[in-house]
Amino acid sequence: MHSPDSITIVTPLAFEAGALQRLAPIRGWNIVVCGPGRHGIVAGLEPNHLPAGSRVILAGTAGGLCPNREAGSVLIADRII
């Protein structure tokens, strides 16, 4: 059971979730591996994959969501559609 202010970290690929999964039990994070590309991200953000009220962080190494962003860029979304 996750608290209403829990953190869910969505990663496109399993290897991206590796280090996060080791910390998840300690930090209380929920880790979701969604699959690559826009389709994977959309599927990973389906409400049935996310605890109600969870804060969502998308973490990945490959990029591709926004081709004009440089590697290491941080983007803070103000909404999820």
Side-chain angles (χ1 to χ4, degrees), residues 19-74:
L20 297 171
Q21 287 173 327
R22 289 189 290 276
L23 292 172
I26 299 165
R27 304 288 181 149
W29 299 335
N30 179 38
I31 307 295
V32 174
V33 178
C34 63
R38 183 177 300 250
H39 177 73
I41 300 299
V42 169
L45 295 177
E46 287 291 324
N48 60 336
H49 290 122
L50 305 174
S54 183
R55 295 176 189 174
V56 178
I57 298 171
L58 174 62
T61 58
L65 293 177
C66 188
N68 60 349
R69 295 249 179 222
E70 292 186 33
S73 294
V74 174

